[in-house]
């Protein structure tokens, strides 16, 4: 089995597409959660992007790790 580095793994078309879909879904989820928590619009957007990236990246890191 050929070992692919994580950054190369993310560049694969199907993985990149799934990553982007999950990221966008997570961003929407966290944006909706932050709005009800009283954050202003700027902080809501910033927090939702960061949380979405972290959760999506952790998910795909696990997938990559399990494919080795």
């Amino acid at each position: 089995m050929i070992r692919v580095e994580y950054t190369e793994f993310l560049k694969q078309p199907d993985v990149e597409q799934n990553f982007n879909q999950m990221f966008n879904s997570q961003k929407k989820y966290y944006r909706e959660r932050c709005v009800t928590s009283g954050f202003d619009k700027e902080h809501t957007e910033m927090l939702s992007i960061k949380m979405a990236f972290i959760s999506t990246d952790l998910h795909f890191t696990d997938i990559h790790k399990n494919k080795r």
Side-chain angles (χ1 to χ4, degrees), residues 1 4 10 14 21 25 27-28 30-31 34 36 39 42 50-52 55 57-58 61 64 68:
M1 178 184 286
V4 177
L10 291 177
D14 59 326
Q21 286 175 345
S25 175
K27 188 168 69 168
K28 180 181 177 188
Y30 286 112
R31 186 182 307 124
C34 291
T36 61
F39 289 103
E42 181 180 322
K50 288 180 179 185
M51 292 300 296
S55 61
D57 188 56
L58 287 173
T61 298
H64 176 257
R68 292 196 232 177

Side-chain angles (χ1 to χ4, degrees), residues 11-28:
K11 292 178 184 177
Q12 297 174 16
D14 59 326
V15 174
E16 184 176 19
Q17 180 181 5
N18 291 336
F19 187 97
N20 290 336
Q21 286 175 345
M22 182 176 178
F23 173 76
N24 289 329
S25 175
Q26 291 288 350
K27 188 168 69 168
K28 180 181 177 188

